[in-house]
Amino acid sequence: GKHKTLKNWDEVASSFIEEAKKLTKAINFEKGVLTVACLSKESANQGKLLANRIIYALNQIIGKQLVYAIYVEV
């Protein structure tokens, strides 16, 4: 699950966060929590605001409820 979750981050996040591929990177996934590093305050804020929608979209792509939370680091 970890590899698939990290791999799908770019694709999913791009739908929600402007320039997600450049400004964010999924760095870890453990015990249902996806840790995302953000290079700007704006991308971090978008990530926090839209976390629930991003989590839902990620789980849809993965095909099961794996992601429960997103932890955003700036």
Side-chain angles (χ1 to χ4, degrees):
K2 179 175 182 171
H3 177 71
K4 203 171 184 184
T5 305
L6 296 175
K7 192 171 66 81
N8 284 307
W9 168 260
D10 277 351
E11 186 188 332
V12 172
S14 298
S15 317
F16 297 95
I17 302 170
E18 278 175 63
E19 297 194 49
K21 281 189 172 84
K22 273 192 220 163
L23 296 177
T24 70
K25 183 166 175 48
I27 51 177
N28 197 19
F29 180 65
E30 209 175 329
K31 295 183 181 134
V33 180
L34 180 63
T35 302
V36 178
C38 294
L39 296 180
S40 73
K41 279 205 168 105
E42 290 76 21
S43 62
N45 288 338
Q46 284 182 307
K48 286 176 189 167
L49 278 174
L50 300 168
N52 288 339
R53 287 166 64 187
I54 297 171
I55 289 166
Y56 179 78
L58 267 173
N59 286 327
Q60 292 289 102
I61 283 188
I62 295 162
K64 57 184 172 197
Q65 181 80 36
L66 274 186
V67 184
Y68 289 94
I70 293 176
Y71 175 71
V72 176
E73 287 183 353
V74 186

